[in-house]
Amino acid sequence: MITVIDYGSGNLRSISNSFSHINVESTITNDPEEVAEAEYLVLPGVGAFGQIMKSIEPYKKVIKEHVDDGKPFLGVCLGLQALLSSSEEAPGVKGLSIFKGEVKKLPNDNRMLKMPHMGWNRLDMTLCEPKKTCAIIDGIVQDYFYFVHSYYAAPDDEEVIAGTVKYGFDVTAVLHENNVYATQFHPEKSGVSGLKMLKNFVTMSI
Amino acid sequence: MITKRVIPCLDCDLQVPEGRVVKGVEFKEIKYAGNPVELANKYYEEGADEIVLLDITASREKRATMKNVVEDVTENVFVPICIGGGIRKVADYIDMLKAGADKCSTNTAAIHNPELINEASEVVGTQACVVGIDAKRKYVDNSKENDDKNIVETEKGYCWFDTSIYGGTEFTGMDAINWAQECQKRGAGEILLTSMDRDGTKDGYDIELTKAINDAVDIPVIASGGVGKPEHILEAFEIANASGALAASIFHFNEYPVPQVKEFLKDNGVNIRI
């Protein structure tokens, strides 16, 4: 059973549709007690860092307990950024600090790139040596995924970066450490590749 | 690197319960291309990078029908979905996003009430706020005629781009380049740019218009209006550097199926997701 935290971030229908499509039962809940009982936990997210940290306040404790218990956790897009310690988008606001480090604004020197970074980009495992193998992108390390963001994760320990994409430089696309997985892209909007990634996540043994 | 997006657009007539996709908006001979849910599924399966659903009736009373269409489409379509037509209030954005859409495009409503862009982007995020700009060339005698207009040189002479509302039936006198920059400042995350000179012609996108707007803003610009063959999409990417290209009629009736168009672009050196 997959539990998706509903803290008011809007489009959760696509995530639950994706799980249905791969024949996995999922529940969307805003009840911290239900979140505490999750086997697999998903933190989705669109919007801004300051707002997500405020909205997930009631779930911070149970998220940390879930992670400390070694149960599978997946953060998506802003749900990845929330795992860092802080963000340039909202100075002074504390993140979950599950990964130590900062979320920074994507650099755009000389206005060479469009902002936000919006569209399909390919996981880049050729130019940037993968630091480690990562179960959720097993078999899809060269695939295209859908991104939309203006900030990126810069963890202190680069070893946790399991995938990057090129957008001016190597942008963090996947973070992974032990039972914690997070993607900057939206698997629920990334076609067959995204569905495969979700399938990888839910078929990991607990 | 990021790929260029190929975006089929479904013009939906919601006067029937499940909606129907209209091909061409010419008054005399309206052709129906099929059911929006079935077509969206087909284009998704074929590799469309994103799908736009436009409510051509843009009527308030059909909001519920559009919501149902979006819910049915997003059940099996796992690429971004953008909704246009009849989006007038922040509540309309929220409704459509909850139904499974990712972005909403406003046009006339944003011109009548530009604050809508600020309010919507604060609530649903800039990534969900697309502004549709319908622009038409206004030719002038020389490059210095209007101080408050951006004059662009084209093969047919100097012109500026007038912003239209109500699907090209009224003109505002607002310079489209200035308006695009204002939209970006107010929080728009993307511009869906349609040439009213080219829409329905199959003569190709207005490349000068697309390039001028694209150069003036930092947010992505989607070219629309006038595509008749894959070469036109290539021009929008190669010359105007658009982030995406929208097309409707070439995809309906299998004139140029999505996979064929994407193969063509890839063969011509465009970075495409295949």
Side-chain angles (χ1 to χ4, degrees):
Chain A
M1 176 64 119
I2 311 295
T3 304
V4 181
I5 306 180
D6 177 12
Y7 56 90
S9 80
N11 185 5
L12 300 180
R13 205 185 145 76
S14 297
I15 288 199
S16 65
N17 283 342
S18 303
F19 284 122
S20 306
H21 202 83
I22 56 170
N23 298 314
V24 172
E25 214 183 314
S26 65
T27 178
I28 294 173
T29 182
N30 59 7
D31 177 5
E33 283 182 26
E34 222 176 313
V35 173
E37 283 162 20
E39 291 173 314
Y40 292 78
L41 189 58
V42 179
L43 179 66
V46 287
F49 189 86
Q51 164 240 316
I52 189 179
M53 293 321 301
K54 202 173 149 192
S55 307
I56 65 170
E57 189 64 46
Y59 312 102
K60 278 184 181 169
K61 191 167 158 274
V62 285
I63 290 172
K64 285 192 173 165
E65 282 169 3
H66 181 95
V67 167
D68 289 343
D69 285 350
K71 292 191 275 187
F73 177 91
L74 176 66
V76 171
C77 195
L78 196 61
L80 171 149
Q81 298 184 1
L83 303 180
L84 279 289
S85 315
S86 63
S87 173
E88 286 182 359
E89 194 179 9
V93 176
K94 279 188 182 157
L96 289 165
S97 285
I98 290 170
F99 294 114
K100 299 271 180 289
E102 197 184 7
V103 178
K104 295 179 176 172
K105 195 167 177 59
L106 283 169
N108 193 13
D109 300 334
N110 309 317
R111 293 182 56 220
M112 290 300 284
L113 299 165
K114 289 289 177 181
M115 288 295 157
H117 169 218
M118 188 191 289
W120 296 79
N121 208 331
R122 190 178 209 169
L123 281 186
D124 193 344
M125 295 300 181
T126 50
L127 297 169
C128 162
E129 269 299 302
K131 303 280 191 293
K132 65 207 305 189
T133 56
C134 175
I136 59 166
I137 48 171
D138 187 30
I140 43 173
V141 291
Q142 294 277 303
D143 282 19
Y144 292 97
F145 295 91
Y146 186 77
F147 289 78
V148 51
H149 63 120
S150 304
Y151 291 82
Y152 73 99
D156 293 345
D157 176 8
E158 290 193 2
E159 293 284 307
V160 300
I161 299 174
T164 58
V165 287
K166 281 265 177 235
Y167 200 63
F169 71 114
D170 293 328
V171 178
T172 304
V174 184
L175 291 177
H176 169 221
E177 189 173 47
N178 304 321
N179 54 319
V180 181
Y181 298 85
T183 64
Q184 183 59 64
F185 57 80
H186 285 273
E188 78 281 14
K189 291 290 169 182
S190 295
V192 174
S193 306
L195 295 170
K196 268 191 211 161
M197 195 225 86
L198 292 174
K199 185 116 195 166
N200 282 344
F201 176 66
V202 302
T203 50
M204 282 186 309
S205 51
I206 298 180
Chain B
M1 263 314 277
I2 196 153
T3 59
K4 299 290 187 185
R5 287 176 271 158
V6 174
I7 309 172
C9 176
L10 307 179
D11 292 325
C12 301
D13 168 11
L14 302 176
Q15 303 300 333
V16 294
E18 289 170 356
R20 53 188 171 182
V21 177
V22 174
K23 188 219 171 190
V25 200
E26 292 94 27
F27 294 110
K28 281 183 184 167
E29 195 191 350
I30 290 180
K31 275 188 178 172
Y32 296 106
N35 173 290
V37 178
E38 282 167 20
L39 273 180
N41 273 289
K42 175 174 177 268
Y43 296 143
Y44 164 65
E45 300 281 340
E46 289 181 345
D49 295 309
E50 191 167 325
I51 293 168
V52 173
L53 296 167
L54 283 184
D55 169 7
I56 57 160
T57 41
S59 52
R60 291 219 65 81
E61 62 269 29
K62 298 297 174 196
R63 296 282 71 205
T65 311
M66 193 57 170
K67 217 179 146 181
N68 290 341
V69 170
V70 176
E71 284 179 357
D72 290 348
V73 165
T74 52
E75 210 155 290
N76 292 300
V77 171
F78 300 104
V79 293
I81 303 289
C82 177
I83 308 301
I87 306 289
R88 285 171 210 158
K89 300 179 299 186
V90 174
D92 297 332
Y93 287 79
I94 295 171
D95 272 358
M96 290 302 160
L97 298 193
K98 281 201 169 149
D102 302 276
K103 313 173 184 182
C104 290
S105 178
T106 47
N107 190 326
T108 306
I111 287 174
H112 285 156
N113 174 24
E115 276 296 312
L116 176 65
I117 306 169
N118 304 64
E119 290 166 17
S121 64
E122 270 168 38
V123 176
V124 298
T126 57
Q127 86 291 336
C129 290
V130 180
V131 177
I133 299 180
D134 295 346
K136 191 176 171 66
R137 292 184 179 195
K138 288 287 156 76
Y139 289 99
V140 291
D141 291 336
N142 60 66
S143 61
K144 295 189 180 76
E145 191 168 313
N146 284 291
D147 287 343
D148 61 334
K149 304 285 194 287
N150 293 286
I151 306 293
V152 173
E153 192 178 1
T154 74
E155 81 281 7
K156 287 184 184 166
Y158 294 106
C159 74
W160 61 281
F161 298 103
D162 195 353
T163 308
S164 87
I165 50 175
Y166 299 117
T169 55
E170 278 183 35
F171 289 88
T172 61
M174 270 166 68
D175 182 282
I177 296 174
N178 292 341
W179 172 233
Q181 288 176 324
E182 185 182 339
C183 292
Q184 175 180 327
K185 267 189 214 139
R186 287 181 178 275
E190 188 162 83
I191 302 286
L192 174 50
L193 178 66
T194 304
S195 162
M196 299 319 283
D197 298 292
R198 297 298 179 87
D199 204 26
T201 64
K202 298 209 164 205
D203 292 340
Y205 300 107
D206 186 335
I207 295 299
E208 282 95 347
L209 166 71
T210 311
K211 190 175 186 323
I213 299 272
N214 190 52
D215 288 348
V217 296
D218 294 327
I219 54 179
V221 172
I222 308 300
S224 160
V227 62
K229 53 184 181 181
E231 285 80 357
H232 293 149
I233 298 181
L234 183 63
E235 283 174 4
F237 291 151
E238 272 196 335
I239 307 171
N241 200 21
S243 294
L246 187 119
S249 57
I250 65 160
F251 296 134
H252 306 335
F253 309 108
N254 286 321
E255 232 173 286
Y256 293 98
V258 174
Q260 188 186 328
V261 169
K262 293 186 90 172
E263 283 292 344
F264 170 82
L265 294 167
K266 194 175 178 139
D267 289 347
N268 281 277
V270 180
N271 193 13
I272 285 284
R273 176 183 71 109
I274 290 184

